[in-house]
Amino acid sequence: MPLRSTARTSLVDLVIEQMERLIADGEWEVGEKIPAEPVLVETLDVGRNTVREAVRALVHTGMLEPRQGDGTYVRASSDFGAAVQRRLRRAADLEAYEVRASLERDAARYAALRRTDEDLAALRAALAERDRAWGNSDIAAFIDADVDFHRTVAAAAHNGVLADLYEHFSDALRATLQAVIRRPLPDSVRHQFDAHTAIVDAIEARDPDAAEQAALAHLTEAMDALREARPYEGEPAADPRDPARSGEEAHA
């Protein structure tokens, strides 16, 4: 709908707020290309310069990402999420996993206390999808399924703040997961099917202590491996969505 300016709020600010709302509400999803400039001009009923300024501002915050010759994509679901992504890009893999452990053990504990039958069904489905992606040697799908599984655990905790925090963190966590999957670690550490099953079993049993311990155990295993593994030196980051490498890396 057309936007109206007020004396205290510029038209650019209004366009920025509207775009942020479209992203936050999921109408523009993370990873999705936003409408082309002419479409935004017509939809928002504002000039090209206004749209360009608004897009530039959201690119600056990290919520949007321009891709040469392709368009502009949603990179994060909020400016907070974008800030988390920027910080995690400067963090070591081990640092990111230590923070992840703090979030996930609380999410598992609260999920065991508060989960519904619907939550449990969603967890079992997410677990099955994760295992299916690994079995198909599809690294991109495996990372998506792993992130979705832990988001589902956070959702089952029925704490809106915790779910939002994990949502933002998990968007930024993908690069870290990709780095871990590329490392020459044992498949049992990279896959961790039994460890993830233990989390769901504890949540089903409504055992918060066991759920917390299972969540921490699977991350501790990965963190111990990261401490022992020597980082790659001078190797460029590989794109896990490259189909030429997916099958090779899945069972390296």
Side-chain angles (χ1 to χ4, degrees):
M1 66 174 62
L3 300 174
R4 296 180 181 177
S5 180
T6 68
R8 300 185 62 181
T9 307
S10 74
L11 194 56
V12 172
D13 289 336
L14 287 172
V15 173
I16 291 172
E17 289 176 9
Q18 178 72 354
M19 290 181 174
E20 288 176 333
R21 192 174 303 113
L22 289 167
I23 295 170
D25 291 346
E27 294 188 45
W28 294 354
E29 295 184 352
V30 173
E32 178 182 316
K33 183 162 66 173
I34 70 171
E37 184 179 281
V39 176
L40 292 175
V41 167
E42 181 178 353
T43 302
L44 301 174
D45 193 21
V46 294
R48 287 180 178 271
N49 288 340
T50 300
V51 168
R52 288 173 184 172
E53 278 193 61
V55 169
R56 191 179 301 117
L58 292 178
V59 167
H60 181 72
T61 67
M63 290 181 68
L64 296 180
E65 176 187 23
R67 299 181 185 176
Q68 186 67 32
D70 189 17
T72 301
Y73 286 75
V74 179
R75 186 171 189 172
S77 57
S78 72
D79 53 358
F80 174 73
V84 171
Q85 287 191 27
R86 287 196 299 273
R87 181 61 186 89
L88 278 186
R89 284 198 295 272
R90 302 195 306 273
D93 296 333
L94 181 57
E95 289 180 319
Y97 261 72
E98 287 174 345
V99 175
R100 180 185 177 189
S102 297
L103 287 174
E104 289 191 8
R105 64 187 181 189
D106 283 341
R109 166 171 282 278
Y110 291 128
L113 292 170
R114 301 168 181 170
R115 63 89 175 163
T116 65
D117 290 343
E118 290 76 13
D119 292 328
L120 187 60
L123 284 167
R124 291 291 182 194
L127 187 65
E129 182 60 31
R130 185 180 183 277
D131 193 44
R132 184 161 39 250
W134 181 267
N136 291 334
S137 300
D138 189 337
I139 294 300
F142 176 73
I143 291 173
D144 287 342
D146 186 74
V147 170
D148 183 62
F149 171 82
H150 292 290
R151 281 176 171 164
T152 305
V153 173
H158 294 279
N159 180 309
V161 176
L162 178 60
D164 285 347
L165 281 172
Y166 196 82
E167 183 76 20
H168 295 311
F169 188 80
S170 60
D171 286 341
L173 187 62
R174 290 178 184 275
T176 301
L177 290 172
Q178 291 163 5
V180 171
I181 291 297
R182 290 199 305 273
R183 287 178 181 270
L185 302 174
D187 274 3
S188 60
V189 175
R190 297 159 74 219
H191 180 201
Q192 295 185 316
F193 180 76
D194 290 341
H196 284 71
T197 300
I199 295 172
V200 180
D201 288 346
I203 291 173
E204 180 176 18
R206 300 189 186 278
D207 187 336
D209 291 336
E212 181 177 349
Q213 290 169 8
L216 185 58
H218 99 83
L219 288 164
T220 298
E221 185 178 45
M223 288 188 291
D224 287 345
L226 286 173
R227 291 185 184 100
E228 295 172 3
R230 296 183 61 183
Y232 296 143
E233 295 179 0
E235 180 176 328
D239 183 354
R241 295 182 184 274
D242 181 353
R245 300 197 60 183
S246 294
E248 171 190 346
E249 292 177 351
H251 297 293

